[in-house]
Amino acid sequence: MKFISLFFLLLCLISCQHTPAIKHKSIDDNIERAKAFSAKNLRNKVHNLSLTGHWIDDKADEFWFERYSEKRGQEFVRVNANDKVKTPLFDKVKLTQSLNLEEPIDWQSSPLSHVKFNGKVLNFDINNQPYRCDIVASPYQCRAASKQKSQDKIRRYTSPDKQHFVKVENYNLFLCKTSTQDCKQLTEDGSESSPYAVTHSVPNKRLNDEGFDEQNHLGLYWSENSHYVITYRLFRQGVTQLTLTDSTADNDFNVNSVRYYYPQAGDQTLPMAQVVLIDVVNQEASALNAPKVMQTYYGRALWGYWHKGDFYYQDRRRGNKTLFLRKVIAKEKQVVSVIKESNDEFIDPWVQVSYHLNNKNHVIWSSQRSGYQHLYLYNTTTGELLNQITQGEYTVRAIRAVDEEKGVLYFEASGKEKNRDPYLRHLYRINLDGSDLTLLTPEPFEHNTRLSPNFNYFIDTFSDAKTPPQSWLRSAVTGEKLTQLDQANIGQLTALGWQPPEPFSVIADDGVTPLYGLLYKPSNFDASKKYPVINDTYTGPHNFFTPKSFSTFANTRPALAELGFIVIKMDGRGTSKRGCEFHRVSYKNLAAGTDDHVWAIKQLAKDRQYMDINRVGIYGFSAGGYDTVQAMLRHNSFFSAGVSASGNHDFRVDKAGWNEIWMSWPMSEAWQQQSNYTNVERLKGKLLLAHGELDNNVHPSATMRLVDKLIDANKDFDLLIMPKMGHVLDEHPYFVEKRWRFFIEHLQEDNE
């Protein structure tokens, strides 16, 4: 009897010793399964997700597009819109024979790139060699084309007529003749702190190139007639400079660092640019009498374009309550204000568009002054508002084309059609005087459209979260479907076991506002089980972030769900494209972005017993990294675990151009109240902070300052600093798997 007891005791001990190994093997198996559902892997299992029509120059009723066939590989299809006939753009056998390559062409590998066709000549690259083929001739006449020369170390900013170029030396402007290389110095007062024409390049370029010179990277605009150049003088004395450090610079244990300009939100001094006009004929540069333009990020300080001999640019005043469309009349060396847009809270530059007509001095200008994004017609000579073009409780999303001869505008908008997801885009046509609004794509899907050059047709690709894309040729007059062009192939995707996410809507806690999102489940989902819930968050007010097309699989969520989680993606109040009332919730209130997420998860769980809201996690990157920590402080009894990547944890350590739009300027008490550095003592859940050491978008100090606060509060947390990595950590598989294992460890019951 004692022997039997000892035997069973021994078995129990052996079993206990092997349980961790079995558990870890199960986790590793799940990790491998999740890798099969990664965005990179799933993306390769879908073909013909979108269609780009290339209209043939001399035949506006003909176009071609590229597609992929699992049997035939890369294909190019020619379409005659008049007779609806589809034919191969070229004969693959004839092309192969004419190229006479050493190795046969593997069409399964999509070998042709940079393809262009003008109705007779086909240009393309294959094996890094450009070719030019006359495919009208019989047999085809193909010859190798010369490769483009690599760009010189010193870039040339050459005029359209190739007669002159502009360069900067010692921070001053020089105008040079291309024929003789003779140059005339146009300015003498440039310096490092007040240079002419230079752009603020990302610091990584300096880290990777010892010979980098910002004077070879300029911001300037040549006029079409080559008579003028618009550029600027940049004033940056006293502007914040940060240091980016590469701690693993080389194998000799050196550390490399670079100092760079980075205007932070709330700073007293931002870089300011004075508009400068170069007169090529008179060989002189003049500072124009106009307010200086603020620069709030990398790149050039002045953004604009030439149109009919004048230069136009948008000038956003600090505080983001005033926006101008200004015009430079070059021959008069004069700057005039064409349009002034004002708002008591903020003007959203992420949706601001302008479209100049060619036949009249008119511009189509977008504004949210009515409470929704709409289009207005202005006279660019007088600045007079001629008429409002679109109006109603819907959001104009994009101008697709303007038929000036008939006075017809084609635009995409969302929210107009009732009883459907208000984010779904549809194509409309309307007369420029605001009459005869016509819906051209009535199907309740997300539509992506492009017009033909003669405005007779448009190509429409539509889908939703569950319906694979299909592309049609349609009438631009009636919207009638004329012929189907293509259909996405998702056979490999479904063969893997992938299932589309479940679209959902819930009513917000105001009892009125519907909120929309997607719910992702594992492919082996069992409704009788209990699953932890993870919220993929990004509440940034500059857009909305839940996919509306079939591209819902090309992200981090399917793989995470495959590990045994229910993953939520949604857009709460404060995000964009739903009108000003919905949008303004985030004004001076970015911290509240996750409140609707918490509410929605609780509502969803009421009739989905498989959702375990006692085990809820959250993750996000950039502004979503801020959201993650803020949510864990704000709702510290709801979220059990969170992974925050590249977070801008305090608006004052981040870029001026983004944060000041939504938080307003000058700074108020709200900036301090909504900082993740405030109330860190409220942290209860398990937190993983991650940041790339070479993040030039949100400086690593944003996370390190949070670390300092958490240490002072004696809080337990995990920290991952990734060498060589920039802002987007999802590009590195180590971080992705680290996030998986973190949630497995802290949310799944069998790992507690």
Side-chain angles (χ1 to χ4, degrees), residues 278-349:
I278 298 175
D279 185 326
V280 176
V281 175
N282 294 320
Q283 295 190 326
E284 62 181 15
S286 304
L288 300 183
N289 183 23
K292 295 183 178 68
V293 178
M294 66 177 180
Q295 184 180 27
T296 59
Y297 198 51
Y298 301 116
R300 60 186 63 189
L302 182 70
W303 297 87
Y305 48 89
W306 288 91
H307 180 75
K308 296 176 67 173
D310 295 323
F311 182 81
Y312 292 85
Y313 66 97
Q314 292 184 15
D315 180 5
R316 181 163 52 108
R317 297 284 89 193
R318 194 164 190 188
N320 301 287
K321 294 178 174 61
T322 307
L323 175 71
F324 291 91
L325 176 66
R326 301 197 197 273
K327 177 173 68 173
V328 178
I329 306 173
K331 60 184 178 182
E332 299 177 9
K333 297 183 182 179
Q334 183 182 6
V335 179
V336 297
S337 295
V338 179
I339 300 172
K340 178 182 179 181
E341 191 75 32
S342 299
N343 189 284
D344 291 338
E345 293 182 335
F346 64 88
I347 295 174
D348 184 359

Side-chain angles (χ1 to χ4, degrees), residues 140-420:
Y140 291 174
Q141 301 296 314
C142 294
R143 61 180 177 83
S146 58
K147 294 184 179 181
Q148 289 186 347
K149 296 181 180 179
S150 59
Q151 198 173 46
D152 295 336
K153 192 73 173 178
I154 298 178
R155 298 175 62 184
R156 292 286 179 86
Y157 292 86
T158 307
S159 60
D161 64 8
K162 310 300 182 185
Q163 298 300 306
H164 294 86
F165 66 91
V166 173
K167 69 176 182 179
V168 171
E169 290 183 359
N170 296 321
Y171 298 103
N172 281 298
L173 291 169
F174 289 77
L175 179 64
C176 308
K177 293 183 178 179
T178 53
S179 58
T180 63
Q181 304 293 302
D182 291 337
C183 299
K184 179 180 180 181
Q185 185 169 345
L186 301 179
T187 64
E188 297 181 348
D189 53 352
S191 64
E192 192 282 333
S193 62
S194 54
Y196 284 91
V198 302
T199 62
H200 281 167
S201 299
V202 294
N204 309 64
K205 291 184 177 181
R206 299 186 182 189
L207 283 170
N208 298 326
D209 182 2
E210 292 183 357
F212 180 87
D213 186 351
E214 65 176 348
Q215 295 181 98
N216 295 331
H217 302 266
L218 309 180
L220 52 83
Y221 303 85
W222 278 96
S223 64
E224 301 96 324
N225 61 10
S226 300
H227 291 175
Y228 300 100
V229 179
I230 289 290
T231 186
Y232 52 84
R233 186 183 183 193
L234 187 61
F235 296 89
R236 55 189 185 184
Q237 181 73 38
V239 172
T240 294
Q241 294 188 60
L242 301 179
T243 300
L244 204 63
T245 300
D246 182 356
S247 297
T248 58
D250 57 37
N251 293 327
D252 293 328
F253 304 102
N254 287 326
V255 173
N256 192 13
S257 63
V258 63
R259 192 86 168 148
Y260 62 101
Y261 289 99
Y262 186 95
Q264 292 180 307
D267 280 354
Q268 196 65 35
T269 303
L270 297 184
M272 302 297 290
Q274 183 70 54
V275 181
V276 172
L277 173 71
I278 298 175
D279 185 326
V280 176
V281 175
N282 294 320
Q283 295 190 326
E284 62 181 15
S286 304
L288 300 183
N289 183 23
K292 295 183 178 68
V293 178
M294 66 177 180
Q295 184 180 27
T296 59
Y297 198 51
Y298 301 116
R300 60 186 63 189
L302 182 70
W303 297 87
Y305 48 89
W306 288 91
H307 180 75
K308 296 176 67 173
D310 295 323
F311 182 81
Y312 292 85
Y313 66 97
Q314 292 184 15
D315 180 5
R316 181 163 52 108
R317 297 284 89 193
R318 194 164 190 188
N320 301 287
K321 294 178 174 61
T322 307
L323 175 71
F324 291 91
L325 176 66
R326 301 197 197 273
K327 177 173 68 173
V328 178
I329 306 173
K331 60 184 178 182
E332 299 177 9
K333 297 183 182 179
Q334 183 182 6
V335 179
V336 297
S337 295
V338 179
I339 300 172
K340 178 182 179 181
E341 191 75 32
S342 299
N343 189 284
D344 291 338
E345 293 182 335
F346 64 88
I347 295 174
D348 184 359
W350 292 77
V351 299
Q352 195 64 41
V353 296
S354 58
Y355 186 105
H356 288 262
L357 305 188
N358 291 312
N359 298 336
K360 295 181 179 179
N361 292 328
H362 291 171
V363 63
I364 300 171
W365 175 261
S366 70
S367 170
Q368 298 191 77
R369 66 186 68 159
S370 70
Y372 289 86
Q373 176 83 350
H374 281 297
L375 301 176
Y376 299 78
L377 188 66
Y378 279 86
N379 184 306
T380 55
T381 301
T382 65
E384 177 189 4
L385 171 61
L386 301 176
N387 61 268
Q388 183 173 350
I389 303 173
T390 64
Q391 56 186 312
E393 294 183 354
Y394 63 92
T395 298
V396 173
R397 300 280 293 279
I399 296 173
R400 286 303 182 210
V402 178
D403 183 346
E404 295 189 39
E405 184 177 335
K406 296 180 179 178
V408 175
L409 164 70
Y410 297 86
F411 68 96
E412 288 177 352
S414 57
K416 186 177 188 305
E417 308 310 311
K418 304 305 179 186
N419 301 317
R420 65 182 59 172

